[in-house]
Every structure is written in C-alpha cells, then in structure tokens.
Amino acid sequence: MKTALIILAAGKGTRMNSDLPKVLHPIAGEPLMIHAIEAGATLEPDRSVVVAGQNATQVHDTALAHDMSIKVVEQVEQLGTAHAVAQARAALTGFDGMALVLYGDTPFIRASTLERMRDALAQSDVVILGFEATVPGRYGRLVMNGDTLEKIVEYKDATDAERAITLCNSGVVACDATLLFDLIDAVGNDNAAGEYYLTDIVGLARARGLSATAVTCDEWETVGINSRAELAQAEAAFQVRARAALLEDGVTLTAPETVFLARDTAIGRDTLVEPNVVFGPGVTVESGATIRAFSHLEGCHVSRGSTVGPYARLRPGAELAENVRIGNFVEIKNAQVAEGAKVNHLSYIGDATIGAGANIGAGTITCNYDGVMKHHTDIGAGAFIGSNTMLVAPVTIGAGALTGSGSVITSDVEPDALALARAPQVEKPGMARKLFEMLKAKKARQQRGS
C-alpha cells in the first residue's frame, strides 16, 4: 500500500514559554518532530508532508535537513486539526494510497503500531489509534459498538456517560487520502471551541455508510508534549526504556540511571558502559568495547575491543578501528584511528588519520585550523609522537617515525626518521635567585607605598 505521512507541526506551544517551536524541542538528542517522522519512516512512505505554523522557517529547515524529500506547507491560521490536515492537500495532489496523520509533538509511537493501523485499513475505511487511559481527563473519547467505531466525542462536547469511557483518542488517523480530504471538506466548526475537528471524520464516514475502527496501543506511545515539565518527563521515560532495551540486548551499564542515550544510539552486546556517559546522536559502538566514565560521544563509530575514556570526547567524524585506546581528557574530531593505535592522555586529534599501532604522546595537538581553513594531519603506522608535540597541519608523519617531546612539527617527516623541532636549552647560573630577589623587592616597595 502506498503511504503518505502528514505530520502536524503547527502548534504554538504556548506553555513551553519558548521562542523555539514546540516540535523542535529535543528528546534524546533529536527534535520531537524528527521522532514522529522516523516512526512513520518505517512504513517507507512515498510522500511526507509537514504542516508548519509558528516559526515555519525553522520547522522547514529542520525537516529538510533531516530529509530533503519532505514537503513543508504552512497553516497560517490555526483553525483546528481538520483545517491543518487540509493544508497538505496540494502537496498530495495525484497521490493514490493511505494518508497517515501523525503529530510532531507525539514522539513515541512504535513502528509496529503504525503497521497494525495500515493492516486494519485493508478492512476499514477509517482507522483511529486509541488507548486505554489511566486518567482519561480531557481526552476525546472513542465510542465503540463492537469493533466498529461509531464516533469520537471531544471532552468539551461529551455527555457524562461519554466522559465515563476510558478508551481515548490519540489523534492519529489512517485513511485513503482521497477519502480523507473529501471527509474534511464536510467538517464543520459547530462545537464548543469553534474549531474544525479532524475527529469529526469518523461520524461523517459512518453517516455515509462507511466503516471505521480503532487500533489500540500502550498509553505511553501517545504521550504529547505541551510543557517543559512534560518534556522532562518524556525524556526520563525514553531513557528508562532505552536503557532497559540495552540491558536486555546484553550491554552492561554499571549505573544505568546515569547513562543518557540518543534516539539512534546503537551499542553491541558485551560492551561495558561505565557511569555518567552521554551518547549524542549518530553513535555506533560495536560489541566488546568499553566506554569509561564521564565520556561524551556524538556522531562517531567505535569498533570491537576499543576503550574510550574516562573523561574522553568523541565528536562527529571520529572513527575508531578495533582495539584502539582513547584515554582521559582526549578529544577526537573528524579523525580515523586505525587498529591498535593509542591516544592516551590530554590530546586533541582533529582532521587527522592515525595509522595502525601509532602512539600519540600526552599533550599532542593537531593544529588543524589556520583561522580560515581546516587542514589534515596524517600519522603513519607505528609512529611515535612524543609528549607535547604540536603537529601544524597540513603535515604527514611517516610510518615508524618519532617526534621529540615538545616539538613543533611544521614539515613532513619521512618514515623511520627522528624529528626534533625545539629551541636549544639555555642555562644562566644564579639568574633564578637574582630574579626572585628583584621581584620580592619590587613587591615590598609596592606594599609600603599602599
């Protein structure tokens, strides 16, 4: 079945008290809207439309940065959910297939749930996603007759008997696209809020003799984010589930509650993650690695048997081969570190290639930025970089070469060569004592003068 996603992302998010659109606030390192888009992406949609409102430019840019094929349309006036979906009509001109309406502030719907909705649409004209609410509150209620969904009643318009129903509406809808827009054309705004409710399409469909049903999911999947407090609660809930999934998959977390994961964090079994580690987006860690305490990883790949940290930072583009050692207070950015290489202490390696078995001494820096351009450093296999070496890129250190501690290397070093680049040591007997006496006398004069 062809599929089109319609992601509603026009809400003002007043309760967030923020200049940032609500759907762009992050959970697990990604905007809420991206979570919703990725949930729908598992259905391999033929088209995806984001309906933006407040700060449409920011929403537009974020959506296209994630997927250039997404079409962003604008809802200038917020007149209800049916009106919002109607804004996607032009972007879906000529589309023949299922339209799936998702919400940019509802990040946790599982792929399996959306697949069940798609399957249900083969037997029904309209499919609504519902959930049994622990506290139904002000959710819309699903009025069922067996497997048939008769109507959806908004809380404001519900009778006491209807408010007693605990099966609630998530707002997620699956429907043939042509039928969806036809039903929306018939939606009115004669209700307590004066808005065009998408939920009215169920009653309209039933009045035409069409079928409607509900697919249910766990309540947590339908959580919508409307405030900073709810954002924090959703983040905590995501982390609990993500940590539990890793533990189930054979990853050791010595203090799970202190480890923070991104939406796409991938960690292989028998990897050890020590306390207070943060994973940003785009991290893959293979089996049998060790990520030591207080490390931060983002946009990087760590191969089997490698060790990172403690107190290490891997930035985007860091690629560690097998059995690499990245030690304390080391930062790696846009660099490839080959098998068995070591960067053990207090170093910055950026825009570089490090050969197999190379050893990078403490305090080494690849000086990759000249104030305008970035430049590359190439360190050969088995090279030994002495402590406190400055490698001024672009520069190549040959395989098996050695740099003396404290050197500033500005030219290429041949394989197996020793490179020394530092001023000769000068010693002046007695000068230290004389200098200290002079400074102490100056301080004494200043104190008397005050």
Coordinates of all heavy atoms in Angstrom, one line a residue, residues 221-294:
E221 N 2.8 5.4 24.3 CA 3.1 5.7 22.9 C 2.4 7.0 22.5 O 2.9 7.7 21.5 CB 2.6 4.6 22.0 CG 3.4 3.3 22.1 CD 3.0 2.3 21.1 OE1 3.1 2.6 19.9 OE2 2.5 1.2 21.5
T222 N 1.3 7.4 23.1 CA 0.5 8.5 22.6 C 0.8 9.8 23.4 O 0.2 10.8 23.1 CB -1.0 8.2 22.8 OG1 -1.3 8.2 24.2 CG2 -1.3 6.9 22.1
V223 N 1.8 9.8 24.2 CA 2.1 11.0 25.1 C 2.5 12.2 24.2 O 3.4 12.1 23.3 CB 3.3 10.7 26.0 CG1 3.8 12.0 26.7 CG2 2.9 9.7 27.1
G224 N 1.7 13.3 24.4 CA 2.0 14.5 23.7 C 2.8 15.5 24.6 O 2.5 15.4 25.8
I225 N 3.6 16.3 24.1 CA 4.4 17.2 24.9 C 3.9 18.6 24.7 O 3.9 19.2 23.6 CB 5.9 17.2 24.4 CG1 6.4 15.7 24.3 CG2 6.8 18.0 25.4 CD1 6.3 14.9 25.5
N226 N 3.5 19.2 25.8 CA 3.0 20.6 25.8 C 3.7 21.6 26.7 O 3.4 22.8 26.7 CB 1.5 20.5 26.1 CG 0.7 19.8 25.1 OD1 0.6 20.2 24.0 ND2 0.1 18.7 25.5
S227 N 4.5 21.1 27.6 CA 5.2 22.0 28.5 C 6.6 21.5 28.8 O 7.0 20.3 28.5 CB 4.4 22.0 29.9 OG 4.5 20.8 30.5
R228 N 7.4 22.3 29.5 CA 8.8 21.9 29.8 C 8.8 20.7 30.8 O 9.6 19.8 30.7 CB 9.5 23.0 30.5 CG 9.6 24.3 29.6 CD 10.7 24.3 28.6 NE 10.8 25.6 28.0 CZ 11.9 26.0 27.3 NH1 12.9 25.2 27.1 NH2 11.9 27.1 26.7
A229 N 7.8 20.7 31.7 CA 7.7 19.6 32.6 C 7.4 18.3 31.9 O 8.0 17.3 32.2 CB 6.6 19.9 33.7
E230 N 6.5 18.3 31.0 CA 6.1 17.1 30.2 C 7.3 16.7 29.3 O 7.5 15.5 29.1 CB 4.9 17.4 29.3 CG 3.6 17.5 30.2 CD 2.4 17.9 29.3 OE1 2.6 18.2 28.1 OE2 1.3 17.9 29.9
L231 N 8.1 17.7 28.8 CA 9.3 17.4 28.0 C 10.3 16.6 28.9 O 10.9 15.6 28.5 CB 9.9 18.6 27.5 CG 11.1 18.5 26.6 CD1 10.7 17.9 25.2 CD2 11.8 19.8 26.4
A232 N 10.5 17.1 30.1 CA 11.4 16.4 31.0 C 10.9 15.0 31.4 O 11.7 14.0 31.5 CB 11.6 17.2 32.3
Q233 N 9.6 14.9 31.6 CA 9.1 13.6 31.9 C 9.2 12.6 30.8 O 9.5 11.4 31.0 CB 7.6 13.7 32.3 CG 7.4 14.4 33.6 CD 5.9 14.9 33.8 OE1 5.1 14.6 33.0 NE2 5.7 15.6 34.9
A234 N 9.0 13.1 29.6 CA 9.1 12.3 28.4 C 10.6 11.8 28.2 O 10.8 10.7 27.8 CB 8.6 13.0 27.2
E235 N 11.5 12.7 28.4 CA 12.9 12.4 28.3 C 13.3 11.3 29.3 O 13.9 10.3 28.9 CB 13.8 13.6 28.6 CG 15.3 13.4 28.6 CD 15.8 13.2 27.2 OE1 15.6 14.0 26.3 OE2 16.5 12.2 26.9
A236 N 12.8 11.4 30.5 CA 13.1 10.4 31.5 C 12.5 9.1 31.1 O 13.1 8.0 31.3 CB 12.6 10.9 32.9
A237 N 11.3 9.1 30.6 CA 10.6 7.9 30.2 C 11.3 7.2 29.0 O 11.5 6.0 29.0 CB 9.2 8.1 29.8
F238 N 11.8 8.0 28.1 CA 12.6 7.5 27.0 C 13.8 6.8 27.5 O 14.2 5.7 27.0 CB 12.9 8.6 26.0 CG 13.9 8.1 24.9 CD1 13.4 7.6 23.7 CD2 15.3 8.1 25.1 CE1 14.3 7.1 22.7 CE2 16.1 7.7 24.1 CZ 15.6 7.2 22.9
Q239 N 14.6 7.5 28.3 CA 15.8 6.9 28.8 C 15.6 5.6 29.6 O 16.4 4.7 29.4 CB 16.5 8.0 29.7 CG 17.0 9.2 29.0 CD 18.0 9.0 27.9 OE1 18.7 8.0 27.9 NE2 18.0 9.9 26.9
V240 N 14.6 5.5 30.4 CA 14.3 4.3 31.1 C 14.1 3.1 30.1 O 14.7 2.0 30.3 CB 13.1 4.4 32.0 CG1 12.6 3.1 32.6 CG2 13.4 5.4 33.2
R241 N 13.3 3.3 29.1 CA 13.1 2.3 28.1 C 14.3 1.9 27.3 O 14.6 0.8 27.0 CB 11.9 2.7 27.2 CG 10.5 2.7 27.9 CD 9.4 2.8 26.9 NE 9.4 4.1 26.3 CZ 8.8 5.2 26.7 NH1 8.2 5.1 27.8 NH2 8.9 6.3 26.0
A242 N 15.1 3.0 26.9 CA 16.2 2.7 26.1 C 17.3 2.0 26.9 O 18.0 1.1 26.3 CB 16.8 4.1 25.6
R243 N 17.5 2.3 28.1 CA 18.5 1.6 29.0 C 18.0 0.2 29.1 O 18.9 -0.8 29.1 CB 18.6 2.3 30.3 CG 19.2 3.7 30.3 CD 18.9 4.4 31.6 NE 19.3 5.8 31.5 CZ 18.7 6.8 32.3 NH1 17.7 6.5 33.1 NH2 19.1 8.0 32.2
A244 N 16.8 0.0 29.4 CA 16.3 -1.4 29.6 C 16.5 -2.2 28.4 O 16.8 -3.4 28.5 CB 14.8 -1.4 30.0
A245 N 16.3 -1.6 27.2 CA 16.5 -2.4 25.9 C 17.9 -2.8 25.8 O 18.2 -3.9 25.3 CB 16.0 -1.5 24.8
L246 N 18.9 -1.9 26.1 CA 20.3 -2.2 26.0 C 20.7 -3.4 27.0 O 21.4 -4.3 26.6 CB 21.2 -1.0 26.3 CG 21.2 0.1 25.3 CD1 22.1 1.2 25.7 CD2 21.7 -0.4 23.9
L247 N 20.2 -3.3 28.2 CA 20.5 -4.3 29.2 C 19.9 -5.7 28.7 O 20.6 -6.7 28.8 CB 19.8 -4.0 30.5 CG 20.4 -2.8 31.3 CD1 19.6 -2.4 32.4 CD2 21.8 -3.1 31.7
E248 N 18.7 -5.7 28.1 CA 18.1 -6.9 27.5 C 19.0 -7.4 26.4 O 19.1 -8.6 26.2 CB 16.7 -6.6 27.1 CG 15.9 -7.8 26.6 CD 15.6 -8.8 27.7 OE1 15.6 -8.4 28.9 OE2 15.3 -9.9 27.3
D249 N 19.6 -6.5 25.6 CA 20.4 -6.9 24.5 C 21.9 -7.3 24.9 O 22.7 -7.6 24.0 CB 20.5 -5.8 23.5 CG 19.2 -5.6 22.8 OD1 18.3 -6.5 22.8 OD2 19.0 -4.5 22.2
G250 N 22.2 -7.3 26.1 CA 23.5 -7.8 26.6 C 24.6 -6.8 26.7 O 25.7 -7.1 26.8
V251 N 24.1 -5.5 26.9 CA 25.1 -4.4 27.2 C 25.1 -4.2 28.7 O 24.1 -4.2 29.4 CB 24.6 -3.1 26.5 CG1 25.6 -2.0 26.9 CG2 24.6 -3.3 25.0
T252 N 26.3 -4.1 29.3 CA 26.5 -3.8 30.7 C 26.5 -2.3 31.0 O 27.4 -1.6 30.4 CB 27.8 -4.5 31.2 OG1 27.7 -5.9 31.1 CG2 28.0 -4.1 32.7
L253 N 25.6 -1.9 31.8 CA 25.5 -0.5 32.3 C 25.7 -0.6 33.8 O 24.8 -1.0 34.5 CB 24.2 0.2 31.9 CG 23.7 0.1 30.5 CD1 22.4 0.8 30.3 CD2 24.7 0.8 29.5
T254 N 26.9 -0.1 34.3 CA 27.1 -0.3 35.7 C 26.3 0.6 36.6 O 26.0 0.3 37.7 CB 28.6 -0.1 36.0 OG1 29.0 1.2 35.5 CG2 29.5 -1.1 35.3
A255 N 25.9 1.7 36.0 CA 24.9 2.6 36.7 C 24.0 3.2 35.7 O 24.1 4.3 35.2 CB 25.7 3.8 37.4
P256 N 23.0 2.4 35.3 CA 22.1 2.7 34.2 C 21.5 4.1 34.3 O 21.4 4.8 33.3 CB 21.0 1.6 34.2 CG 21.6 0.5 34.9 CD 22.6 1.1 35.9
E257 N 21.1 4.5 35.5 CA 20.4 5.8 35.6 C 21.2 7.0 35.3 O 20.7 8.1 35.1 CB 19.8 5.9 37.1 CG 20.8 6.0 38.2 CD 21.5 4.7 38.6 OE1 21.2 3.7 38.0 OE2 22.4 4.8 39.5
T258 N 22.6 6.8 35.2 CA 23.5 7.9 34.9 C 23.9 8.0 33.4 O 24.6 8.9 33.0 CB 24.7 7.8 35.8 OG1 25.5 6.7 35.3 CG2 24.4 7.7 37.2
V259 N 23.4 7.0 32.6 CA 23.8 7.0 31.2 C 22.7 7.5 30.4 O 21.5 7.2 30.6 CB 24.1 5.5 30.8 CG1 24.3 5.4 29.3 CG2 25.3 4.9 31.5
F260 N 23.0 8.5 29.5 CA 22.0 9.1 28.6 C 22.2 8.8 27.2 O 23.3 8.9 26.7 CB 22.0 10.6 28.9 CG 21.4 11.0 30.2 CD1 22.2 11.0 31.4 CD2 20.1 11.4 30.3 CE1 21.6 11.3 32.6 CE2 19.5 11.7 31.5 CZ 20.3 11.6 32.7
L261 N 21.1 8.3 26.5 CA 21.2 7.8 25.2 C 20.4 8.7 24.2 O 19.5 9.4 24.6 CB 20.6 6.4 25.2 CG 21.2 5.4 26.2 CD1 20.3 4.3 26.5 CD2 22.5 4.9 25.7
A262 N 20.8 8.6 22.9 CA 20.1 9.3 21.9 C 19.1 8.4 21.2 O 19.1 7.2 21.4 CB 21.1 9.9 20.9
R263 N 18.2 8.9 20.4 CA 17.2 8.1 19.7 C 17.8 7.0 18.9 O 17.3 5.9 18.9 CB 16.4 9.0 18.8 CG 15.3 8.3 18.0 CD 14.6 9.2 17.0 NE 15.6 9.7 16.0 CZ 16.0 9.0 15.0 NH1 15.6 7.7 14.8 NH2 16.9 9.5 14.1
D264 N 19.0 7.3 18.3 CA 19.6 6.3 17.4 C 20.8 5.6 17.9 O 21.6 5.0 17.2 CB 19.9 6.9 16.0 CG 20.9 8.1 16.2 OD1 21.2 8.5 17.3 OD2 21.3 8.6 15.1
T265 N 21.1 5.7 19.2 CA 22.3 5.1 19.8 C 22.2 3.5 19.6 O 21.2 2.9 19.9 CB 22.4 5.3 21.3 OG1 22.4 6.8 21.5 CG2 23.6 4.7 21.9
A266 N 23.3 3.0 19.0 CA 23.4 1.6 18.8 C 24.6 1.0 19.5 O 25.8 1.5 19.2 CB 23.5 1.3 17.3
I267 N 24.5 0.1 20.4 CA 25.6 -0.5 21.2 C 25.5 -2.0 21.1 O 24.4 -2.6 21.4 CB 25.5 0.0 22.6 CG1 25.5 1.5 22.7 CG2 26.7 -0.6 23.4 CD1 25.4 2.1 24.1
G268 N 26.6 -2.7 20.8 CA 26.6 -4.1 20.7 C 26.8 -4.8 22.0 O 27.2 -4.2 23.0
R269 N 26.4 -6.1 22.0 CA 26.4 -6.8 23.3 C 27.8 -7.0 23.8 O 28.8 -6.9 23.0 CB 25.7 -8.2 23.1 CG 26.5 -9.1 22.3 CD 25.7 -10.5 22.3 NE 26.5 -11.5 21.6 CZ 26.2 -12.8 21.5 NH1 25.1 -13.2 22.1 NH2 26.9 -13.6 20.9
D270 N 27.9 -7.2 25.1 CA 29.2 -7.4 25.8 C 30.0 -6.1 25.8 O 31.2 -6.1 26.1 CB 30.0 -8.5 25.2 CG 29.4 -9.9 25.5 OD1 28.7 -10.0 26.6 OD2 29.5 -10.8 24.7
T271 N 29.4 -5.0 25.5 CA 30.1 -3.7 25.7 C 29.8 -3.3 27.1 O 28.7 -3.5 27.6 CB 29.6 -2.7 24.7 OG1 30.2 -2.9 23.4 CG2 29.9 -1.2 25.1
L272 N 30.8 -2.6 27.7 CA 30.7 -2.1 29.1 C 30.6 -0.6 29.0 O 31.4 0.1 28.4 CB 31.9 -2.5 29.9 CG 32.0 -1.8 31.3 CD1 30.9 -2.1 32.2 CD2 33.4 -2.2 31.9
V273 N 29.5 0.0 29.6 CA 29.4 1.4 29.7 C 29.4 1.8 31.2 O 28.5 1.4 31.9 CB 28.1 1.9 29.0 CG1 28.0 3.4 29.1 CG2 28.0 1.4 27.6
E274 N 30.4 2.6 31.5 CA 30.5 3.0 32.9 C 29.6 4.2 33.2 O 29.0 4.7 32.4 CB 32.0 3.3 33.2 CG 32.9 2.0 33.1 CD 34.4 2.3 33.5 OE1 34.7 3.5 33.7 OE2 35.1 1.4 33.6
P275 N 29.6 4.6 34.5 CA 28.7 5.7 34.9 C 29.0 7.0 34.2 O 30.1 7.3 33.7 CB 28.9 5.8 36.4 CG 29.4 4.5 36.8 CD 30.3 4.0 35.7
N276 N 27.9 7.8 34.1 CA 27.9 9.2 33.6 C 28.5 9.3 32.2 O 29.3 10.2 31.9 CB 28.7 10.0 34.6 CG 28.1 10.1 36.0 OD1 27.0 10.6 36.1 ND2 28.7 9.5 36.9
V277 N 28.0 8.5 31.3 CA 28.4 8.6 29.9 C 27.2 9.2 29.1 O 26.0 8.8 29.4 CB 28.8 7.2 29.3 CG1 29.0 7.3 27.8 CG2 30.0 6.7 30.0
V278 N 27.4 10.1 28.2 CA 26.4 10.7 27.4 C 26.6 10.4 25.9 O 27.7 10.6 25.4 CB 26.4 12.2 27.6 CG1 25.4 12.9 26.6 CG2 26.1 12.6 29.0
F279 N 25.6 9.8 25.3 CA 25.6 9.5 23.9 C 24.7 10.5 23.1 O 23.5 10.6 23.3 CB 25.1 8.1 23.6 CG 25.9 7.0 24.2 CD1 25.7 6.5 25.5 CD2 27.0 6.4 23.4 CE1 26.5 5.5 26.0 CE2 27.8 5.4 24.0 CZ 27.5 5.0 25.2
G280 N 25.4 11.3 22.3 CA 24.6 12.2 21.4 C 24.2 11.4 20.1 O 24.4 10.2 20.0
P281 N 23.5 12.1 19.2 CA 23.0 11.4 18.0 C 24.2 10.8 17.2 O 25.3 11.3 17.2 CB 22.3 12.6 17.2 CG 22.0 13.6 18.3 CD 23.1 13.5 19.3
G282 N 23.8 9.7 16.5 CA 24.8 9.2 15.5 C 25.9 8.4 16.0 O 27.0 8.3 15.4
V283 N 25.7 7.7 17.1 CA 26.8 6.9 17.7 C 26.5 5.4 17.5 O 25.4 4.9 17.8 CB 26.9 7.1 19.2 CG1 28.0 6.2 19.8 CG2 27.3 8.6 19.5
T284 N 27.5 4.7 17.0 CA 27.5 3.2 17.0 C 28.7 2.7 17.7 O 29.9 3.1 17.4 CB 27.5 2.7 15.5 OG1 26.4 3.2 14.8 CG2 27.5 1.2 15.4
V285 N 28.5 1.8 18.6 CA 29.5 1.1 19.4 C 29.4 -0.4 19.2 O 28.4 -1.0 19.4 CB 29.5 1.4 20.9 CG1 30.6 0.7 21.7 CG2 29.5 2.9 21.1
E286 N 30.5 -1.0 18.6 CA 30.4 -2.4 18.4 C 30.6 -3.3 19.7 O 30.9 -2.7 20.7 CB 31.5 -2.8 17.4 CG 31.3 -2.2 16.0 CD 32.4 -2.7 15.0 OE1 33.1 -3.6 15.3 OE2 32.5 -2.1 13.9
S287 N 30.4 -4.6 19.5 CA 30.4 -5.5 20.7 C 31.8 -5.5 21.3 O 32.8 -5.3 20.6 CB 30.1 -6.9 20.2 OG 28.8 -6.9 19.7
G288 N 31.8 -5.6 22.6 CA 33.1 -5.9 23.3 C 33.9 -4.6 23.5 O 35.1 -4.7 23.9
A289 N 33.3 -3.4 23.3 CA 34.0 -2.2 23.6 C 33.8 -1.8 25.1 O 33.0 -2.3 25.8 CB 33.6 -1.1 22.7
T290 N 34.6 -0.8 25.5 CA 34.5 -0.3 26.8 C 34.4 1.2 26.7 O 35.3 1.9 26.2 CB 35.7 -0.7 27.7 OG1 35.7 -2.1 27.9 CG2 35.5 -0.1 29.1
I291 N 33.3 1.8 27.3 CA 33.2 3.3 27.3 C 33.3 3.6 28.8 O 32.3 3.4 29.6 CB 31.9 3.7 26.7 CG1 31.6 3.1 25.3 CG2 31.8 5.2 26.6 CD1 32.7 3.4 24.3
R292 N 34.3 4.3 29.2 CA 34.6 4.5 30.6 C 33.9 5.8 31.0 O 33.4 6.6 30.3 CB 36.1 4.5 30.8 CG 36.8 3.2 30.4 CD 38.1 3.1 31.1 NE 38.0 3.0 32.5 CZ 39.1 3.1 33.3 NH1 40.3 3.2 32.8 NH2 38.9 3.1 34.6
A293 N 33.9 6.0 32.3 CA 33.1 7.0 33.0 C 33.3 8.5 32.5 O 34.4 8.8 32.1 CB 33.3 7.0 34.5
F294 N 32.3 9.2 32.5 CA 32.3 10.7 32.2 C 32.7 11.0 30.7 O 33.3 12.0 30.5 CB 33.2 11.4 33.2 CG 32.6 11.4 34.6 CD1 33.0 10.5 35.5 CD2 31.6 12.3 34.9 CE1 32.5 10.5 36.8 CE2 31.1 12.3 36.2 CZ 31.5 11.4 37.2

